[in-house]
Amino acid sequence: MDGPAMITQCGIPPGDSFTYHYTLEQAGSMWLHGHLAHEISDGLRAAFIIHDKPGAELYHYDKDYLLTFEDWFSTEFADRMYHTINPKEEFPPPKSYAYGLVNGVNGNITQTLNFEPGKTYRIRLVNMGDINSFQFSLPGHEMYVIEADGEYSVPYFTDGIDIGPAQRYSVLIKAHDTDAFNYYFNATMHANFISASPGLSPRVYTGKIEYSANAPYQDTRAFYERPDFKWLNDIEMHSASGHPAMVPNRKLYLEIGNNLYNTGQHLDHINNITFVMPNVPTLFTALSMGSLAMDPRVYGPQTNAVVLKYGDIVELTINNFSTLLHPFHRHGGTFQITEYGPAGSSTPAPESFQNITVQKSKGSPMRRDTISLTEFSYVKVVFQATAAVNFFHCHNSIHSAMGMDMVFIEGPDVLQKTLQIPNAMYEMCHKQGIPTIGNAAGNIGFDFTGLPNVPTIVKQTGDNQ
């Protein structure tokens, strides 16, 4: 059960509780978080690790460690959002500098990881942060990536991983045969839209890898100065499943950015549509509108809904014409990463971004559910439509709140025949006076009375904040 509010359910009312029942069909490094009013940004988030059944492990390791990464702000999300979209204030707003947490505490005092000579360790890396990425490395050791976002990969050697918001990895590390030295791991928190400022951005955190309490720590500064230092590139990874690239029968082209509207606000968009939540959860609209559920118009002018046929193989090309990184996440499943390249635009990219080259997957493309789309670039991903309503959005909370979201309505005709909503989910809505049938406005047909007016674009500005 996937739970973004007003997409697949109503939010849990204050003081109430709701139990989610899952059938676990996939092992991996997952996480869970609130999806209403961006509660994730204020700490409603946790890792959710699903272990393989005994004997079903794809890779051998002796011990499993978890490192969660978070950015922690001194002000609540609502305050930061107010200063971002208030038309009476400057845009973009002054930068907010977060602190980095590793396993819930200051990144420099997180718990030591104990290694024993000759053993193999799996370290799970989960970025639960709001807007910041974390660069992870473990100097003095060989690191092989075996998982991305719950999907196993062919072991991939790398020196460092730049982990975007909502992304997860697992790495295997073989301990040295001697306990003569201890080591440090590095976790550098950064965001490309926040200018470098000593002590504020980036923030560098180090944790300890201890072989022996009496051993000295090795100086690893030269590790980062190596000309052959290798950062992970997920287009180079291969899925352990061995599945070839899917051949799409439907192609969608998305452009993302920021516009100035007649409200005086700078808001984000996908294909010039700024997302606004409907009055009826989109899943409920899909189930209650009969044959009209196949018509994207019933989901409202600002839900940015795309209706897919059950079984469609869909290729998404997402173009990022801005100077900002955008971590895009697909709810309800993974996609194959098939291509990266320079964003096509009539306006040339700044000189520093003109060296982006086309990179295509080879063999069995890596699957995952979150990609980091870099500045002035595009990505192509491919997935198969099921029978579901799946949210697709930038996982930078500010960007999502500003409207960089859309919804895939997948096989609604099949969904109507196969899914029955539990009564408890209807009751959650009714307690809050939220309608559970009808179009996005809670009305019949294409009557959208009750939805907010769609703002008019005054200027396409490209960048957000």
Side-chain angles (χ1 to χ4, degrees):
M1 179 64 222
D2 190 37
M6 301 310 293
I7 304 298
T8 58
Q9 67 170 80
C10 296
I12 303 170
D16 273 21
S17 64
F18 183 77
T19 301
Y20 291 91
H21 296 274
Y22 295 90
T23 299
L24 300 180
E25 300 176 340
Q26 175 185 354
S29 305
M30 314 299 183
W31 67 306
L32 53 89
H33 55 273
H35 229 293
L36 179 64
H38 299 276
E39 301 145 321
I40 174 181
S41 305
D42 296 328
L44 187 56
R45 53 200 180 194
F48 183 45
I49 306 303
I50 305 171
H51 295 277
D52 289 291
K53 293 180 179 179
E57 298 90 349
L58 190 59
Y59 300 107
H60 167 76
Y61 49 91
D62 297 292
K63 190 169 183 177
D64 194 331
Y65 282 116
L66 170 66
L67 295 177
T68 62
F69 305 106
E70 302 171 78
D71 45 11
W72 188 256
F73 292 87
S74 59
T75 57
E76 292 186 352
F77 177 83
D79 181 67
R80 289 184 286 125
M81 188 62 188
Y82 171 81
H83 293 292
T84 301
I85 64 171
N86 185 350
K88 296 181 180 179
E89 299 197 21
E90 65 174 317
F91 183 89
K95 301 305 179 187
S96 299
Y97 297 100
Y99 296 91
L101 306 181
V102 179
N103 285 352
V105 299
N106 181 302
N108 289 320
I109 61 171
T110 193
Q111 182 180 1
T112 298
L113 306 185
N114 295 109
F115 276 21
E116 295 183 31
K119 291 192 173 183
T120 300
Y121 295 86
R122 177 177 184 167
I123 302 180
R124 301 175 188 264
L125 311 169
V126 180
N127 186 352
M128 306 190 303
D130 190 28
I131 64 174
N132 284 275
S133 298
F134 284 81
Q135 294 175 337
F136 178 84
S137 59
L138 207 171
H141 295 76
E142 289 192 349
M143 186 162 62
Y144 289 88
V145 180
I146 60 164
E147 178 211 358
D149 302 347
E151 294 282 347
Y152 278 119
S153 69
V154 174
Y156 173 93
F157 171 77
T158 189
D159 290 315
I161 307 174
D162 200 358
I163 313 167
Q167 291 188 318
R168 296 92 65 206
Y169 292 94
S170 282
V171 298
L172 287 185
I173 297 171
K174 176 72 178 297
H176 295 300
D177 292 329
T178 173
D179 61 2
F181 290 98
N182 296 321
Y183 299 83
Y184 294 102
F185 69 78
N186 173 273
T188 298
M189 186 181 75
H190 70 101
N192 68 337
F193 54 88
I194 299 179
S195 302
S197 180
L200 296 175
S201 179
R203 293 191 192 269
V204 179
Y205 298 97
T206 55
K208 295 179 179 180
I209 303 291
E210 185 176 284
Y211 282 79
S212 170
N214 299 318
Y217 279 83
Q218 190 176 76
D219 186 349
T220 56
R221 284 173 292 183
F223 176 79
Y224 299 101
E225 300 168 2
R226 285 173 25 206
D228 62 342
F229 186 96
K230 177 178 174 56
W231 287 104
L232 176 142
N233 183 356
D234 57 8
I235 196 75
E236 298 173 352
M237 298 175 67
H238 300 288
S239 171
S241 70
H243 293 157
M246 294 184 287
V247 179
N249 67 305
R250 183 166 182 185
K251 296 184 178 183
L252 300 174
Y253 181 89
L254 309 179
E255 291 187 7
I256 61 174
N258 181 272
N259 292 326
L260 174 63
Y261 289 86
N262 62 339
T263 59
Q265 296 173 305
H266 288 263
L267 299 172
D268 288 350
H269 69 85
I270 299 176
N271 286 355
N272 286 322
I273 298 176
T274 294
F275 178 86
V276 175
M277 288 196 301
N279 293 350
V280 177
T282 303
L283 174 62
F284 295 7
T285 293
L287 293 175
S288 65
M289 290 298 291
S291 61
L292 284 181
M294 297 297 293
D295 190 324
R297 291 178 296 171
V298 303
Y299 302 101
Q302 283 191 267
T303 308
N304 209 350
V306 173
V307 176
L308 304 173
K309 294 180 181 178
Y310 180 81
D312 271 352
I313 307 296
V314 182
E315 179 185 81
L316 288 182
T317 300
I318 313 169
N319 271 277
N320 177 14
F321 297 117
S322 77
T323 58
L324 306 176
L325 177 144
H326 294 285
F328 266 91
H329 172 62
R330 176 179 181 245
H331 284 246
T334 58
F335 42 67
Q336 292 181 327
I337 309 168
T338 60
E339 186 173 322
Y340 287 113
S345 173
S346 57
T347 303
E351 185 175 353
S352 58
F353 297 103
Q354 291 184 6
N355 61 348
I356 299 173
T357 59
V358 174
Q359 302 176 75
K360 297 185 178 183
S361 62
K362 299 177 181 180
S364 178
M366 190 59 202
R367 298 188 70 99
R368 64 182 317 165
D369 61 31
T370 307
I371 49 98
S372 287
L373 182 54
T374 55
E375 310 92 314
F376 294 100
S377 69
Y378 72 80
V379 64
K380 291 185 178 182
V381 299
V382 180
F383 67 90
Q384 184 168 25
T386 59
V389 171
N390 290 322
F391 203 30
F392 185 74
H393 64 101
C394 179
H395 224 291
N396 178 317
S397 292
I398 288 284
H399 299 168
S400 179
M402 292 172 71
M404 195 173 283
D405 320 272
M406 63 184 298
V407 186
F408 292 114
I409 319 296
E410 304 178 21
D413 51 341
V414 176
L415 196 59
Q416 291 174 0
K417 301 173 184 176
T418 57
L419 181 66
Q420 184 173 354
I421 298 291
N423 287 333
M425 294 185 66
Y426 286 116
E427 291 171 5
M428 280 202 303
C429 298
H430 297 157
K431 285 182 179 180
Q432 301 171 82
I434 299 173
T436 55
I437 60 172
N439 62 23
N443 301 325
I444 298 172
F446 301 107
D447 174 10
F448 294 113
T449 304
L451 289 182
N453 294 326
V454 178
T456 303
I457 298 172
V458 174
K459 181 181 180 181
Q460 294 180 315
T461 56
D463 282 355
N464 31 28
Q465 65 90 42

